[in-house]
Amino acid sequence: MSDVPDSPGDSPFRAARSPRDEAPQFVLPLVVRIERAAPPARTDALETAARAVLVLLADERAQGDGEWARAVRDWQDARIRKVVRRARGAEWRRAEALPGITVTGKSAEVRVFPPVPLDAWPKDLARLQVSGTELDDPEPPAGPDPAQPVLWLNPELDMSAGKAMAQAGHGAQLAWWELSAAERADWRDAGFPLAVRIADPAAWHELTVSGLPLVQDAGFTEIAPGSCTVVADHPALGRRNGA
């Protein structure tokens, strides 16, 4: 079992069928808290979801002989699936009682759970809704800090907030895989700073051929198979590519 794709052609995010499809399929559940009176800002929810994926991957329980390590390895050996559901009130409190990690942003709370079999969600997560994760930004997000990683979203795709949260998580995970152990430790120790932004349409094609990690969606929901959704622009990876 490996921690990263065996080769670019065996990427867990590509649409083409591969040996990963023959393995038992797992999913990484993420739950975003959306209270009626105080929903989170869209961009903050996307960034918090991406950080939540990184926090789980870096957690000692997900590594070595940790209690979540086998589930994480099995999940990474198959297609990498993430599903975002929403909760509020008692639903959120029940989700918080399950093993997982809550990551808090400026306005968003996202809880990430160890991977589960695709058809065997815990009852208190399975009953949560996938739809209804439409969120807005009260004001346009500021330009990203050039010293921090940026997950660039495809400007040509219209994704729900839940779908975009999952895609941002994919991009963060690809960047994590590409980093050295020292670079991962630096990012973790800094608290996984990152930004999620919609790319300038004029720059999108250049980003997709830059050599930076690129998410190509498998097309299970919302968008066509093979759609390029996110480019992970981490400064360490940009330096390697001569950027």
Side-chain angles (χ1 to χ4, degrees), residues 34-204:
I34 303 181
E35 300 289 348
R36 284 196 182 96
R42 179 185 174 97
T43 296
D44 189 46
L46 269 58
E47 292 173 349
T48 304
R51 282 198 302 274
V53 171
L54 294 166
V55 168
L56 181 131
L57 291 172
D59 194 283
E60 63 182 10
R61 289 169 290 183
Q63 302 176 2
D65 295 324
E67 61 186 290
W68 299 343
R70 176 61 184 270
V72 170
R73 286 195 298 269
D74 288 347
W75 169 61
Q76 292 190 144
D77 281 346
R79 287 286 185 183
I80 303 298
R81 301 189 189 202
K82 300 178 181 73
V83 172
V84 177
R85 297 176 183 254
R86 61 179 173 88
R88 63 173 178 262
E91 296 172 332
W92 175 256
R93 291 190 291 273
R94 284 192 293 268
E96 279 201 305
L98 298 174
I101 305 168
T102 297
V103 177
T104 303
K106 295 175 183 177
S107 62
E109 290 181 78
V110 175
R111 189 162 179 85
V112 61
F113 303 86
V116 298
L118 191 60
D119 58 355
W121 283 64
K123 179 179 64 175
D124 285 331
L125 298 184
R127 63 175 51 151
L128 298 177
Q129 295 295 310
V130 175
S131 61
T133 55
E134 288 306 325
L135 300 170
D136 296 311
D137 282 314
E139 55 188 43
D145 183 339
Q148 292 186 354
V150 183
L151 304 173
W152 294 109
L153 300 178
N154 186 337
E156 300 172 357
L157 294 178
D158 183 18
M159 295 184 282
S160 68
K163 179 70 172 181
M165 289 169 70
Q167 297 301 304
H170 291 341
Q173 186 168 4
L174 283 183
W176 173 260
W177 281 341
E178 291 289 332
L179 295 174
S180 68
E183 290 164 342
R184 290 181 181 182
D186 288 344
W187 200 10
R188 178 200 63 214
D189 294 346
F192 292 120
L194 57 83
V196 178
R197 297 291 187 272
I198 297 174
D200 184 327
W204 177 246

Side-chain angles (χ1 to χ4, degrees), residues 2-14 20 76-78 80 173-174 177-178 184:
S2 61
D3 292 329
V4 298
D6 297 328
S7 69
D10 191 33
S11 169
F13 301 110
R14 290 185 185 275
R20 291 179 176 276
Q76 292 190 144
D77 281 346
I80 303 298
Q173 186 168 4
L174 283 183
W177 281 341
E178 291 289 332
R184 290 181 181 182

Side-chain angles (χ1 to χ4, degrees), residues 179 210-213 232-243:
L179 295 174
S210 65
L212 292 167
D233 187 3
H234 191 290
L237 303 178
R239 287 192 293 271
R240 291 180 202 165
N241 291 326

